[in-house]
Amino acid sequence: MTVNDRVKEIRKAVGLTMEKFGERIGIAKSTISNIENGNSNVSEHMLKSICREFGYREEWLRDGIEPKQPPKLEEDELAEYIEDLLSTENPAYTLIKSILKTYCKLDDKSKQVINETIDGLIAEIKKEG
């Protein structure tokens, strides 16, 4: 697989048209097309832009050296979960919003009871799993 093939793989993986992919890195659609078809080479600047914009490793894009993407940090995964939960497209958004608002209005003792209950549930789940 060539670097040109890997550019196409990234574009398809992120679900963008050639035009939208090019816009994200400041390149014309025709340039992306030429790269994917093997008619043009990927410049060093373009390679770095693709990796930075879409979260891929330069070593993979340039030479095919795995892994494709750097390992996610626990904080990154947590941020993604929170973003998904708080997305208005999430069917549970209204429920989650109500729970958070209600929790924030509780006094410290009530919050402590809820936190201890959650800790107990997590401990039970870990024992069963």
Side-chain angles (χ1 to χ4, degrees), residues 3 6 10 47-48 50-72:
V3 65
R6 288 187 287 276
I10 291 172
L47 187 135
K48 289 181 181 300
I50 291 169
C51 291
R52 183 179 54 253
E53 181 67 24
F54 300 105
Y56 283 79
R57 292 178 60 249
E58 286 184 36
E59 296 82 1
W60 178 77
L61 182 53
R62 183 179 288 111
D63 302 312
I65 299 170
E66 295 285 345
K68 293 178 185 180
Q69 297 173 298
K72 287 188 178 184

Side-chain angles (χ1 to χ4, degrees), residues 5 20-21 36 58-59 63 80 104 106 119 122 124 128:
D5 296 326
K20 294 293 182 189
F21 186 82
E36 289 187 8
E58 286 184 36
E59 296 82 1
D63 302 312
E80 285 181 17
C104 288
L106 295 174
D119 288 343
I122 291 170
E124 285 298 315
E128 292 175 10

